[in-house]
């Protein structure tokens, strides 16, 4: 999915790819699939500090998901708060730079031109 260039900024070629793996249900991973890339595209640090933008969006999405689910409970759209979660592996490409991030136990691997495979992320667990 290409992230649109924000009006008023210099052109920059950006692409975003993600795999979300729901744990205990699909609510959280579906939410991330709908909103993570949008939140990232609007982040003010995306152009000059993409790694920091990714980290800040991770934290923000946690809070936004919980707040959105609480609103749905308050409006009686949900009976109880969901107890599911999601792991994720994300690749953000800006011009010729690749930023890879993960959450949980969803690792990312790189394969070199000569066929060597290397894990490029660390698993997280709580």
């Amino acid at each position: 999915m290409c992230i649109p260039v924000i009006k008023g900024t210099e052109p920059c070629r950006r692409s975003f790819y993600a795999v979300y793996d729901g744990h205990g249900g699909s609510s959280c991973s579906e939410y991330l699939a709908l909103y993570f890339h949008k939140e990232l595209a609007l982040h003010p640090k995306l152009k000059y500090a993409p790694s920091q933008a990714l980290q800040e969006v991770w934290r923000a999405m946690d809070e936004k998901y919980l707040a959105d689910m609480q609103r749905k409970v308050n409006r009686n759209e949900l009976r109880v708060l969901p107890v599911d979660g999601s792991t994720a592996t994300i690749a953000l490409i800006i011009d010729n730079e690749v930023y890879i991030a993960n959450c949980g136990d969803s690792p990312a691997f790189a394969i070199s031109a000569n066929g060597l495979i290397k894990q490029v992320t660390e698993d997280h667990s709580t």
Side-chain angles (χ1 to χ4, degrees):
M1 168 174 299
C2 280
I3 299 173
V5 175
I6 299 171
K7 194 173 189 176
T9 62
E10 293 180 32
C12 177
R13 186 177 173 103
R14 295 181 263 187
S15 297
F16 178 84
Y17 306 91
V19 176
Y20 304 106
D21 179 16
H23 285 224
S26 62
S27 177
C28 185
S29 57
E30 289 172 1
Y31 186 89
L32 291 170
L34 286 172
Y35 297 110
F36 192 99
H37 62 286
K38 294 175 185 177
E39 191 78 18
L40 182 61
L42 296 173
H43 197 284
K45 295 179 184 172
L46 179 62
K47 186 163 179 127
Y48 67 89
S51 293
Q52 191 173 358
L54 279 165
Q55 290 174 1
E56 291 177 10
V57 170
W58 280 120
R59 288 185 205 101
M61 291 308 298
D62 211 21
E63 294 170 13
K64 287 177 183 252
Y65 173 68
L66 183 57
D68 192 42
M69 294 302 108
Q70 185 63 59
R71 275 191 296 278
K72 288 183 177 191
V73 168
N74 293 346
R75 292 188 304 232
N76 294 318
E77 295 172 27
L78 292 173
R79 289 181 47 191
V80 295
L81 284 174
V83 293
D84 65 311
S86 182
T87 66
T89 303
I90 291 174
L92 171 65
I93 303 169
I94 301 177
D95 294 324
N96 292 323
E97 303 254 344
V98 179
Y99 301 86
I100 299 174
N102 75 313
C103 178
D105 61 353
S106 292
F109 296 86
I111 303 173
S112 68
N114 60 1
L116 295 175
I117 300 171
K118 179 180 179 183
Q119 186 170 341
V120 294
T121 60
E122 294 180 20
D123 289 352
H124 310 111
S125 61
T126 56

